[in-house]
Amino acid sequence: MSGGGVLWLGTLLLLALPGAPLLMHPAFARIPSLARAVLAGAAGAVLVSFTMTVFALLGIPWSLPAILAVAAVLSFLLRRAALGGGVAAAPSARGGWLASALSAVSVSAAFLATAAGSASSPDLIFFWGPKAQRFALSRTVDAAYLGDPSLAYMHAYYPPLVTNLYALASMAAGRMSWTAATLLFPLLLAALAAALPGLLRMGVPAARAAAAAALAVGAIAVIGMEADIAGNGEMPLLLFEATGVGLLLSPLAAAAGGQLLAGLMLAGAVTAKIEGLPLALGAIAVWLWMRRASRPWGAGLRLLGPTLLSLGAWFAFGAARHLFLGYEGEGRFLDFHPEYAGVMFRALARALATTAYGLPYLVPFLCLLAAARRIDASAAIPLGGMAALVAFGVFVYLDRPSDPTPWIAWSAPRVFSPVPMLLALAAARARAAPAPPAPEAARPSRP
């Protein structure tokens, strides 16, 4: 990779700077350091993308120093909102070295596959990269480019986070680096492997946290290599989803600061890809329902507020430029075609079963079944997000007036790639088995 590619990737490391003021709040002091560093970068990415969208809406040209400065100000403002957020219980000690080694193997395999070009996404060439390149040259979201009728495959309505961040890096490097964009797959997978065990072990034993994280990372690595996601929006989406749901499962979720941070991560998922919206809404809805007796209106605002603001800014831009008013489907909304239901389910089963023989989906499911008798009620949070995502996928595939089989064949493994991660997070919530009663002869006699 050339020096320009290194600078392109290095620019994205600056995203941790605007995220740092929020993550340095005492409410997050007990988050393990690696996880906190990853969360700072993820929070910075959401704030930077939001700032870029607002700049585009207001007609302000993009400038790297100005964008980072405004995003940092937003981070300080959110820090004030986290006051009184409390401190989570101390995480359990580190453990699960074998699981950590398996995560390292998964990340290494993803890196090798990406470096060899076998995991590269064609969508990077068709629209993620070209949009970012054009936005970097224009120093804004180029409405004329997105509105060109001959470029309808650019999907003007797609949420902006990935293209915004690619454009930011391209502005700093002086060009779009296609190789660097593909390497975000293994690099963000490594970030997830570093952060997820720390988040999970705030609520479950360290060995179980490491095992669940390794299971999630391994499944994502295999699906990513099989479905060619390197360079598109899948890996950023998965990172935001995993950290957001992981925070909802942690003791931090009981406090205002944790709710705000989880909402920020889920807003990142929503603005990374359309599929992030149903998952985020499903997980948040279950979390709020489980706490319905404690008047969760404030919590709901902290969880949903970042998503509402982020999508609101993007849809306002689309409306102001007469580009779009919301997400556009493949067919007319609610124009279902149940005659394709049988075909759709068979094609879906075939697509998932042929992705590494279905093992990335089957193994986490079997792990969840093995833990089902001891599952904690909080496991409903990732399972609620998964149910919403699956319902969304079925809805989309049936909401078009033609046989969805070809579309399912190349899209389903990517659309449902969060499912194994969510199953692994649910399985991690299994309670320890109760100790067997002492034998009668071993019990002490009464005095």
Side-chain angles (χ1 to χ4, degrees):
M1 186 169 59
S2 66
V6 173
L7 180 57
W8 196 95
L9 286 174
T11 302
L12 297 181
L13 293 177
L14 297 176
L15 297 174
L17 295 179
L22 175 61
L23 268 296
M24 290 174 66
H25 190 282
F28 310 123
R30 295 296 182 92
I31 299 178
S33 56
L34 275 177
R36 192 141 49 112
V38 173
L39 290 172
V46 177
L47 295 174
V48 162
S49 177
F50 174 73
T51 300
M52 295 173 75
T53 303
V54 172
F55 276 23
L57 174 63
L58 299 178
I60 302 173
W62 288 344
S63 163
L64 182 60
I67 289 169
L68 292 178
V70 172
V73 170
L74 293 175
S75 184
F76 275 106
L77 294 175
L78 290 176
R79 177 187 172 91
R80 291 186 62 84
L83 289 174
V87 179
S92 55
R94 291 178 179 271
W97 295 108
L98 177 59
S100 299
L102 291 176
S103 290
V105 170
S106 298
V107 172
S108 299
F111 178 82
L112 292 174
T114 304
S118 63
S120 299
S121 170
D123 287 348
L124 173 65
I125 307 301
F126 284 121
F127 56 86
W128 296 109
K131 285 200 290 188
Q133 186 170 249
R134 184 61 177 256
F135 296 173
L137 290 171
S138 303
R139 302 280 167 152
T140 190
V141 177
D142 194 328
Y145 181 70
L146 292 180
D148 187 339
S150 66
L151 299 175
Y153 59 88
M154 287 291 172
H155 304 297
Y157 58 91
Y158 268 23
L161 183 138
V162 175
T163 47
N164 280 354
L165 298 183
Y166 283 12
L168 186 78
S170 300
M171 286 165 49
R175 66 179 181 84
M176 172 67 191
S177 177
W178 307 88
T179 300
T182 63
L183 288 176
L184 284 178
F185 166 39
L187 291 176
L188 292 182
L189 185 65
L192 180 59
L196 194 54
L199 287 179
L200 294 179
R201 72 171 183 261
M202 288 193 291
V204 301
R208 190 185 308 154
L215 182 60
V217 169
I220 292 171
V222 172
I223 294 172
M225 291 184 288
E226 289 270 318
D228 301 333
I229 71 168
N232 69 9
E234 241 69 46
M235 196 58 235
L237 170 74
L238 290 162
L239 176 65
F240 284 118
E241 289 173 335
T243 52
V245 175
L247 283 165
L248 288 180
L249 292 172
S250 76
L252 277 174
Q259 294 155 12
L260 181 63
L261 187 57
L264 203 59
M265 294 301 103
L266 293 173
V270 170
T271 51
K273 288 202 74 181
I274 296 171
E275 298 95 285
L277 181 58
L279 189 150
L281 293 179
I284 291 173
V286 172
W287 189 93
L288 291 173
W289 181 81
M290 293 176 67
R291 286 152 181 82
R292 62 193 181 280
S294 58
R295 298 181 181 179
W297 299 110
L301 182 60
R302 286 185 287 270
L303 288 169
L304 290 170
T307 288
L308 296 176
L309 288 173
S310 298
L311 282 186
W314 178 238
F315 290 149
F317 173 84
R321 301 306 190 275
H322 306 289
L323 289 173
F324 52 83
L325 297 176
Y327 291 142
E328 300 175 8
E330 293 294 323
R332 290 185 299 174
F333 189 63
L334 297 182
D335 184 16
F336 288 107
H337 295 272
E339 65 272 19
Y340 291 117
V343 172
M344 184 270 296
F345 283 114
R346 286 193 296 272
L348 186 58
R350 184 164 55 250
L352 299 183
T354 55
T355 303
Y357 305 103
L359 292 176
Y361 302 92
L362 180 61
V363 173
F365 178 68
L366 293 177
C367 290
L368 179 62
L369 284 183
R373 290 186 178 181
R374 296 179 286 111
I375 209 73
D376 188 87
S378 62
I381 296 170
L383 294 179
M386 184 187 74
L389 175 64
V390 171
F392 168 80
V394 171
F395 167 81
V396 170
Y397 287 138
L398 291 180
D399 190 45
R400 60 181 300 170
S402 60
D403 184 350
T405 299
W407 186 22
I408 291 172
W410 58 263
S411 69
R414 293 184 292 109
V415 170
F416 295 106
S417 58
V419 167
M421 175 267 293
L422 295 168
L423 291 172
L425 293 182
R429 304 305 298 181
R431 297 184 298 271
E440 189 69 29
R443 294 177 180 173
S445 59
R446 292 182 179 180

